[in-house]
């Protein structure tokens, strides 16, 4: 079994694309507006030794440490299992893949699936 994290993807989900994805799967109205508000107008700044840079607007990434963060990320990547041939389980930014390797072709299938995890159908576009 392989366990992999797609943390860099968790942090780089474009808010606008996530909202479009939510709309495409049938989330709309007040709920979509609320989720958009949850993602919008977030700021961050970097500090070192008591000195801080100016606040910057956050345009991507699902809020980590929130209850909604893992759910929003899973909704964003929900098509990923459709292109994976190995057995797969996902939660938030953790993905587990497994398959029985009995011949060289099985190794190639596993490698191909790992490559797909790296880019993903909705992640790499």
């Amino acid at each position: 079994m392989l366990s992999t994290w797609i943390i860099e993807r968790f942090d780089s989900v474009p808010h606008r694309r996530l909202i479009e994805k939510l709309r495409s799967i049938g989330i709309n109205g007040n709920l979509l507006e609320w989720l958009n508000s949850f993602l919008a107008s977030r700021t961050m700044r970097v500090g070192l030794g008591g000195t801080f840079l100016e606040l910057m607007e956050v345009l991507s990434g699902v809020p980590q440490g929130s209850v909604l963060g893992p759910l929003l990320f899973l909704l964003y990547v929900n098509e990923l299992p459709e292109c994976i041939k190995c057995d797969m389980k996902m939660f938030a930014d953790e993905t587990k893949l497994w398959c029985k390797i009995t011949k060289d072709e099985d190794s190639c299938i596993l490698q191909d699936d790992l490559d797909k995890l790296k880019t993903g159908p909705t992640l790499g576009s």
Side-chain angles (χ1 to χ4, degrees), residues 2 4 6 80-88 95-99 101 105-121:
L2 294 171
T4 180
I6 40 181
L80 189 56
E82 294 172 14
C83 70
I84 299 294
K85 295 178 183 172
C86 293
D87 292 315
M88 176 180 185
T95 302
K96 295 189 185 301
L97 282 182
W98 66 94
C99 66
I101 307 291
E105 182 182 322
D106 296 333
S107 297
C108 293
I109 290 171
L110 178 60
Q111 184 60 56
D112 188 46
D113 284 351
L114 287 170
D115 293 342
K116 289 175 187 172
L117 278 182
K118 187 174 182 179
T119 56

Side-chain angles (χ1 to χ4, degrees), residues 9 21 23 32 37 47 50 53 56-57 61 72 78 86 95 99 108 118:
R9 300 297 185 189
K21 176 72 177 260
R23 184 178 292 116
L32 186 64
S37 177
L53 297 176
M56 297 173 43
E57 185 176 5
L72 290 172
N78 70 343
C86 293
T95 302
C99 66
C108 293
K118 187 174 182 179

Side-chain angles (χ1 to χ4, degrees), residues 51-63:
T51 303
F52 294 90
L53 297 176
E54 291 188 30
L55 288 173
M56 297 173 43
E57 185 176 5
V58 177
L59 301 174
S60 63
V62 292

Side-chain angles (χ1 to χ4, degrees), residues 36-55:
N36 191 38
S37 177
F38 176 71
L39 295 169
S41 303
R42 291 188 170 275
T43 57
M44 70 172 199
R45 67 177 169 180
V46 177
L48 178 64
T51 303
F52 294 90
L53 297 176
E54 291 188 30
L55 288 173

